[in-house]
Amino acid sequence: EGVSPPWSPPPRPARDQVVRVRVRVLERFARLAGPAQPNQLSAKFSIPYAVAAYLVTGQSAPASFTTAQAQDPVVRALQDRVEVTGDPALTTRWPKEAPAEVTIELRDGRVLHGRCDNPFGSYAVPPGVDSLRAKFLALVGAVLPSQAAEKLWQQALAVDQLEDMARFPAV
C-alpha cells in the first residue's frame, strides 16, 4: 500500500542548531520567498515558512500549514532565518527540470547541503496510483469515515465514465 509522502526523509538538524538556511530556486519560484503571515493561506505560499515548519515538526503535511501552526512562535522565528533566492542558472534548466538547492548552516560550524532536480509530483516525477490514493485517503480521511473515503476514491477513479457530473459524488 502507498504512503504519502512516498519517501523517508533524512535526519534533520535540531531546530535550535540552525543558524541560517539558504534556498536557491527557479527565478519564478522566488515570488514565494517572503515569510508567512500568521495564517493558513499565507503559510501555504511561503518557502521560508515551509522550510521552518519542516525543521520544527519533521513533516510537510496539511497539519503543518494550519493557522495554529502558522502562529507557532518557534516556526515564525525560524522562518526569519530562511533566505530564498531565484537563481538564473537553475532557471535555465526549466521546463525539463524544476531544481532547488538548500544549504543549512549549523551552530557547530557544519554546513548541510541538499538538492533536488525534480520534486515528487512534478511532470518528471509523477506520483503513482498508490501514492495518490494514500494522499487522497489521508486528506479526505480527516473529514470522512474511512469507508466513505474509500468509496469516494473509487468513484473518483471512475469519474470519466459518468454521463452527468451532477451524479458525483454518489454517497
Side-chain angles (χ1 to χ4, degrees):
E1 214 165 293
V3 295
S4 176
W7 64 85
S8 298
R12 68 188 196 287
R15 63 183 181 246
D16 61 343
Q17 295 301 305
V18 176
V19 173
R20 177 173 39 190
V21 180
R22 294 181 181 174
V23 181
R24 291 180 30 220
V25 295
L26 299 174
E27 292 168 304
R28 66 182 43 211
F29 298 154
R31 68 183 79 162
L32 304 176
Q37 298 302 310
N39 65 67
Q40 182 178 32
L41 183 62
S42 185
K44 291 179 180 182
F45 293 95
S46 168
I47 293 172
Y49 174 84
V51 169
Y54 174 77
L55 289 171
V56 170
T57 67
Q59 63 178 348
S60 182
S64 303
F65 296 89
T66 63
T67 295
Q69 187 66 43
Q71 294 172 352
D72 181 320
V74 176
V75 175
R76 297 198 55 73
L78 186 54
Q79 80 172 343
D80 292 339
R81 291 180 272 165
V82 179
E83 301 171 11
V84 179
T85 57
D87 185 321
L90 295 179
T91 301
T92 63
R93 295 164 57 184
W94 176 264
K96 291 186 179 190
E97 294 180 341
E101 295 186 5
V102 177
T103 302
I104 303 174
E105 299 171 16
L106 302 176
R107 293 198 190 285
D108 64 9
R110 288 182 298 147
V111 177
L112 307 176
H113 183 77
R115 72 171 238 238
C116 177
D117 293 324
N118 282 296
F120 176 76
S122 67
Y123 174 76
V125 189
V129 173
D130 288 344
S131 293
L132 288 174
R133 180 179 177 273
K135 183 171 184 177
F136 179 89
L137 294 177
L139 294 171
V140 173
V143 293
L144 291 178
S146 60
Q147 284 184 313
E150 182 61 44
K151 182 178 178 184
L152 188 57
W153 169 254
Q154 294 302 323
Q155 290 175 21
L157 289 178
V159 74
D160 62 329
Q161 298 169 19
L162 287 177
E163 292 180 28
D164 182 357
M165 277 304 290
R167 296 183 182 169
F168 178 81
V171 266

